Amino acid sequence: MGGQQSGIKNKMILEFLSVPENVGLARVAVAAFAAQVDMKLNELEEIKVAVSEAVSNSIIHGYGGDPNGMVRVEVERNEEGLVITVEDKGKGIEDIALAMQPDYSSSPERMGLGFAFMQSFMDHLDVTSEVNQGTRVRMFKNIEKVVEK
Amino acid sequence: MQIFFSMEGKQLWARIKGELDLENADTFRQELEANLDHARPEVLVLDLTGVTFIDSSGLGVILGRYRRLKKEGGKLIIYRPQPQVRRLLELSGLGKIMTIMNENGEQIGEGFNNGWSAIRN
C-alpha cells in the first residue's frame, strides 16, 4: 500500500456503536479530516461513499444489525495520501473474494455494490477477515496536489 | 431525509430531500411503498434535485421500486440527479436500465457503459 512507510501528518480515531445513524457521522467526520488539505470536491465525495459503504457493511453484515457492536474508523494522513481503516469485531467474512464480487449480496434489496464502490473510488483496498473475529477494510486514497482551488 | 409526494395526472412524484443511506433506507422504502400502494400510478418520478448524497443502500431502494413497477407494468423515472448522485447511478448500472431526465424533460445518461453488469433485469 502506497505511503505506508512515510511519516504520519495527522491521525484520527473514531469509535461508535453499530447503529445506522453513525454511517453519516463517520463519512462526514472522515471528509472533514480529509478536507484539511486541498482536495478536489469529487475526491471528497468518493471518500464519503467509500466510508459509508465500509461502515454500512460492518453494521449490516459484521454485526447483522445488532446495535451493540463497536465500529472503529481510523484515518491517517501522510505525504502521499489518506489511509482509512474501518474495523469491526463482528462475524467476519468466510469468503472475501466471493463477498467482493459486484453482484454478491445477502439480501435482494441490497445491491452488493459496496466493495465495488470502495474499489472504484479508492486507489487501494484490502480486506482481512476472520470468521467470528471481525473484518478490517483498509483503503488508501492518493492526495493529488491541487494548484488552484 | 424528507419526501414530498404529489400526483400529477397518472404520475406519482416523490420529491426527496437530504441524504439516502443506511440510516434512512427503511423509511425511504416504506414511504415509497405506501404511496405506490395507495396511488397505483403508471409512472413513479423520483425527483432527486434535493438529494446531496447516495450510496448503495439508497440505490438498493430505488432498484427495488424499479423492479416492482416493472412487474406491474409501470415505469420509474429519475429526475434531475445532482452530478455526484448521477455518477453513482451510472456506475451502479442503474442509469442503463432506468430513465434519467434533466430539468427540461430530456433524457440524459443514455449510452453510458461503465456500469458493472450487476443489475439483472
Side-chain angles (χ1 to χ4, degrees):
Chain A
M1 184 182 291
Q4 256 185 304
Q5 310 305 320
S6 316
I8 296 169
K9 301 288 181 195
N10 197 5
K11 181 168 175 160
M12 173 182 84
I13 295 169
L14 193 64
E15 276 186 287
F16 47 83
L17 277 173
S18 53
V19 292
E21 296 93 291
N22 288 331
V23 175
L25 171 78
R27 73 168 168 266
V28 170
V30 174
F33 181 95
Q36 289 175 346
V37 291
D38 279 354
M39 287 197 104
K40 293 174 191 152
L41 205 58
N42 210 23
E43 291 175 328
L44 283 176
E45 289 298 330
E46 292 173 344
I47 290 168
K48 278 163 78 177
V49 174
V51 170
S52 209
E53 299 296 349
V55 173
S56 296
N57 273 353
S58 285
I59 294 172
I60 303 164
H61 303 296
Y63 293 113
D66 176 0
N68 301 306
M70 289 300 286
V71 181
R72 186 177 191 271
V73 177
E74 187 183 303
V75 197
E76 268 177 31
R77 190 182 79 238
N78 57 40
E79 276 156 11
E80 279 131 51
L82 292 172
V83 183
I84 303 170
T85 309
V86 177
E87 217 171 337
D88 66 64
K89 299 206 180 307
K91 69 173 163 67
I93 303 168
E94 252 174 66
D95 187 338
I96 294 173
L98 180 68
M100 287 177 77
Q101 283 176 13
D103 55 356
Y104 178 79
S105 175
S106 43
S107 129
E109 283 266 323
R110 301 202 49 78
M111 296 186 64
L113 286 176
F115 280 123
F117 283 153
M118 288 181 240
Q119 255 166 341
S120 176
F121 291 155
M122 303 300 278
D123 296 301
H124 186 90
L125 170 75
D126 69 55
V127 182
T128 48
S129 188
E130 236 178 288
V131 173
N132 296 324
Q133 300 292 309
T135 300
R136 190 181 74 174
V137 173
R138 236 163 149 230
M139 307 182 273
F140 178 76
K141 182 81 171 167
N142 273 317
I143 299 176
E144 287 169 37
K145 287 271 171 278
V146 180
V147 183
E148 50 195 344
K149 212 179 176 181
Chain B
M1 181 216 43
Q2 286 176 295
I3 315 179
F4 306 93
F5 289 96
S6 62
M7 272 307 273
E8 291 176 22
K10 288 175 177 171
Q11 299 185 342
L12 175 64
W13 278 69
R15 293 180 175 83
I16 305 148
K17 252 183 96 173
E19 302 189 313
L20 295 174
D21 66 1
L22 184 64
E23 184 184 349
N24 45 46
D26 283 341
T27 314
F28 183 34
R29 179 187 310 106
Q30 286 158 9
E31 287 201 27
L32 287 175
E33 282 295 293
N35 279 276
L36 284 172
D37 287 345
H38 181 251
R40 298 267 156 204
E42 280 178 15
V43 180
L44 170 65
V45 184
L46 295 178
D47 181 346
L48 302 187
T49 311
V51 173
T52 50
F53 178 87
I54 195 165
D55 64 11
S56 64
S57 297
L59 292 170
V61 175
I62 295 179
L63 177 65
R65 308 301 68 75
Y66 166 82
R67 284 182 172 149
R68 170 184 169 161
L69 280 151
K70 201 177 171 219
K71 214 166 119 189
E72 295 171 355
K75 202 177 168 190
L76 186 146
I77 293 173
I78 310 261
Y79 181 69
R80 272 180 82 172
Q82 294 190 18
Q84 70 273 24
V85 173
R86 188 178 152 194
R87 188 167 168 222
L88 289 191
L89 285 164
E90 284 164 350
L91 267 174
S92 66
L94 291 186
K96 276 207 270 183
I97 57 171
M98 293 174 194
T99 307
I100 304 179
M101 286 188 162
N102 68 13
E103 58 273 30
N104 302 319
E106 294 157 347
Q107 201 163 330
I108 52 173
E110 221 184 10
F112 196 97
N113 46 23
N114 269 351
W116 296 294
S117 325
I119 318 303
R120 307 220 165 93
N121 276 300

